[in-house]
Amino acid sequence: GAGVSQTPSNKVTEKGKYVELRCDPISGHTALYWYRQSLGQGPEFLIYFQGTGAADDSGLPNDRFFAVRPEGSVSTLKIQRTERGDSAVYLCASSLTGDTEAFFGQGTRLTVV
Amino acid sequence: AQSVTQLGSHVSVSEGALVLLRCNYSSSVPPYLFWYVQYPNQGLQLLLKYTSAATLVKGINGFEAEFKKSETSFHLTKPSAHMSDAAEYFCAVSPLNTGTASKLTFGTGTRLQVTL
């Protein structure tokens, strides 16, 4: 596709459950980023991939959060034992390289009930 | 470390009036600075960016911003507001010298309302 695609667009889950959020970056983009946007806040950086490896995961809030990008394209953000405080919009962005403009997807709205 | 402060969580202007959205940054290294716009239920869209070239940056939809190092500011302006400009605007900063221009630190956003 032409842009960054995120699925699902909305996800409602029960507290304690496991969820996976998917990001399809723009074809050929080597850099991929995950951000989290809580209500009334700006996006907060979670993790940055360059190719298949996580170049910077300093924004992951705790060990319940994990992300992978096994083939250097699609990425999955995984959240274990979800908590109500995890409710937010999770944004994915990609860029051609780590030095170029990032293009954002529409996000996945996660609601933990 | 970098941070940005957006003054005013809500700004209301009349259609045709000047738009001024304020952003001040803090950075221990020379920064890249960005303005993004977010329309309801849509992803972030880049309006413009400063990357140490010209201090006056022109972006899409008639917006521009001026980098003022002495004031540590990067305010966003548009001479004449249009109803379609109503959206959330985010200022963001990233470090210039680390090669990670896309690792952004965002402000809390300013919601722009445009009235008739």
Side-chain angles (χ1 to χ4, degrees):
Chain A
V4 177
S5 176
Q6 292 187 246
T7 54
S9 55
N10 281 283
K11 175 71 176 178
V12 180
T13 191
E14 293 181 346
K15 179 176 176 293
K17 298 290 188 182
Y18 167 83
V19 295
E20 290 189 351
L21 311 179
R22 177 187 168 105
C23 173
D24 281 84
I26 294 172
S27 178
H29 280 195
T30 64
L32 185 146
Y33 303 80
W34 285 98
Y35 288 81
R36 177 169 71 172
Q37 186 175 16
S38 300
L39 191 63
Q41 300 296 315
E44 294 178 299
F45 170 79
L46 295 177
I47 187 169
Y48 156 48
F49 286 90
Q50 183 61 252
T52 60
D56 185 343
D57 65 357
S58 61
L60 294 177
N62 51 60
D63 61 6
R64 295 188 297 106
F65 289 74
F66 189 72
V68 296
R69 194 185 186 200
E71 298 179 357
S73 178
V74 170
S75 176
T76 305
L77 179 66
K78 308 180 180 192
I79 310 174
Q80 298 178 321
R81 305 183 303 280
T82 51
E83 300 176 356
R84 292 195 178 89
D86 298 334
S87 297
V89 176
Y90 289 81
L91 298 169
C92 177
S94 71
S95 62
L96 190 60
T97 70
D99 289 338
T100 55
E101 177 185 344
F103 295 85
F104 282 81
Q106 293 185 342
T108 294
R109 182 176 299 279
L110 175 66
T111 304
V112 182
V113 298
Chain B
Q2 310 95 48
S3 66
V4 290
T5 301
Q6 292 185 242
L7 300 176
S9 58
H10 289 83
V11 170
S12 182
V13 301
S14 300
E15 190 175 36
L18 171 71
V19 175
L20 171 61
L21 304 182
R22 298 179 187 274
C23 173
N24 288 87
Y25 71 91
S26 174
S27 180
S28 56
V29 298
Y32 283 161
L33 291 160
F34 305 79
W35 277 98
Y36 280 85
V37 61
Q38 188 175 38
Y39 298 101
N41 301 315
Q42 294 191 26
L44 291 162
Q45 181 181 6
L46 181 66
L47 276 177
L48 50 81
K49 62 182 177 182
Y50 166 77
T51 56
S52 77
T55 56
L56 181 63
V57 181
K58 295 187 183 298
I60 62 171
N61 301 339
F63 285 94
E64 63 181 38
E66 186 171 7
F67 173 72
K68 292 187 177 180
K69 185 177 179 180
S70 61
E71 298 178 8
T72 60
S73 69
F74 191 59
H75 302 330
L76 181 70
T77 60
K78 182 174 180 178
S80 177
H82 192 273
M83 295 296 288
S84 61
D85 295 327
E88 186 93 20
Y89 291 80
F90 292 95
C91 182
V93 63
S94 73
L96 178 64
N97 64 349
T98 65
T100 55
S102 298
K103 180 184 174 183
L104 302 165
T105 300
F106 285 88
T108 53
T110 297
R111 183 166 297 279
L112 176 66
Q113 181 182 19
V114 182
T115 60
L116 288 172

